[in-house]
Amino acid sequence: HLGAKTKYIIRFVSCFFFVFVFIEMWRLMGREGLIKMPFPLENILWYVALAQIMAFLSPRLFMTIDEDVRTGDIACFLTRPVPYIWMRLAEGFGAFNAQIVVYYTLGIFCTYLYIGALPTGGLPALLAAMALVYLSSLLHLLFQVATGMTTFWIHQAEAVYRIYQKLLIVLGGMYLPLTLYPIWVQKFFWLTPFPAMLYGAIRPVLSEKFDAVLFLESFGLIALWSILALVLVQGLFALCIRRLEVNGG
């Protein structure tokens, strides 16, 4: 338990180290005029802060599935009445909700103190973005399950997860809001789930004022991709069961 608490604290501190680094990076760019700011500076600072929080919120569920497959423990779990993927998703959901309490209280408070202001949309815009980040993090858990199940084929899920992670960073707009990309690039990115997961979830804080239509649009996109991700996970799991090989003990 002590080791788990230490890892949790290190992860939290690491998250806000990156939050403060990217806040300072954007402050520097704004101060030096290195980039034309399409939004008020405090809105962009909240955007990059929430992007980092979203990246750190979810537990590393793919690693748990990877270990289950490589050790052969999954064979034992498959005999239980609860389907394996739902069992792991429930565990990930519980761990995620435990973490979000700290990130959304202490973390958001520290971010507010560091930025020194709310986004121009006020508290409604911030709360809307936090709600969407919560939902997009659940979608992120589903994709973690999908990447974890690739262990059945390549025996190392982390490599696939790293590819997925880099796509989320670039296509999702983690470091740079998508509106700063060329229009044709944005159109291509929106064909993937990543903008809905990251930019779409956090963009309420970029608006001058809270936009209910924008919120509902982002909610709909996250819901749509969540349904498709569930279908993907179920399909992958069915394929995995057919080629199950018990390794280890």
Side-chain angles (χ1 to χ4, degrees):
H1 293 295
L2 182 61
K5 289 180 180 178
T6 302
K7 287 172 63 177
Y8 180 78
I9 292 171
I10 291 173
R11 186 173 176 83
F12 180 82
V13 171
S14 298
C15 173
F16 284 92
F17 170 78
F18 284 109
V19 166
F20 300 148
V21 165
F22 282 103
I23 285 174
E24 288 304 317
M25 181 188 77
W26 277 96
R27 276 178 171 161
L28 174 64
M29 289 194 293
R31 187 167 59 247
E32 299 295 329
L34 300 177
I35 188 171
K36 184 179 179 181
M37 296 287 186
F39 311 104
L41 180 59
E42 59 265 38
N43 291 9
I44 294 182
L45 299 184
W46 275 105
Y47 176 89
V48 295
L50 288 173
Q52 291 304 311
I53 290 173
M54 186 270 177
F56 279 84
L57 267 179
S58 301
R60 295 168 65 84
L61 195 55
F62 73 95
M63 292 296 291
T64 303
I65 298 172
D66 179 282
E67 185 176 355
D68 287 344
V69 175
R70 288 192 290 109
T71 60
D73 289 347
I74 191 172
C76 301
F77 294 130
L78 290 175
T79 62
R80 297 182 179 182
V82 179
Y84 172 75
I85 54 173
W86 291 111
M87 179 191 76
R88 286 303 182 208
L89 273 172
E91 290 178 357
F93 181 68
F96 162 70
N97 279 292
Q99 292 188 157
I100 204 169
V101 171
V102 178
Y103 281 79
Y104 270 17
T105 53
L106 180 61
I108 292 295
F109 179 68
C110 291
T111 303
Y112 170 72
L113 291 180
Y114 198 73
I115 294 175
L118 288 171
T120 56
L123 191 58
L126 178 58
L127 291 176
M130 290 168 64
L132 291 173
V133 166
Y134 180 90
L135 296 175
S136 68
S137 296
L138 299 181
L139 175 56
H140 181 48
L141 278 179
L142 289 173
F143 280 118
Q144 283 204 59
V145 172
T147 56
M149 286 192 293
T150 61
T151 309
F152 281 88
W153 286 275
I154 65 173
H155 306 290
Q156 180 57 265
E158 188 167 4
V160 178
Y161 179 78
R162 294 303 175 195
I163 296 172
Y164 159 78
Q165 185 183 52
K166 299 307 180 286
L167 289 172
L168 178 61
I169 290 172
V170 177
L171 276 63
M174 179 171 288
Y175 303 143
L176 195 68
L178 291 191
T179 47
L180 297 178
Y181 286 88
I183 297 297
W184 68 269
V185 174
Q186 294 181 44
K187 290 180 179 179
F188 169 72
F189 283 4
W190 279 105
L191 297 176
T192 72
F194 305 110
M197 291 174 66
L198 220 159
Y199 171 76
I202 308 172
R203 64 180 170 177
V205 299
L206 293 174
S207 302
E208 293 283 348
K209 60 181 181 179
F210 174 64
D211 188 333
V213 174
L214 194 66
F215 173 81
L216 291 174
E217 179 184 322
S218 296
F219 176 83
L221 284 170
I222 294 171
L224 173 63
W225 282 111
S226 295
I227 293 170
L228 294 177
L230 276 170
V231 173
L232 171 65
V233 167
Q234 291 280 17
L236 275 175
F237 187 63
L239 289 174
C240 292
I241 294 302
R242 292 182 194 146
R243 58 174 292 135
L244 179 62
E245 295 177 1
V246 179
N247 299 313

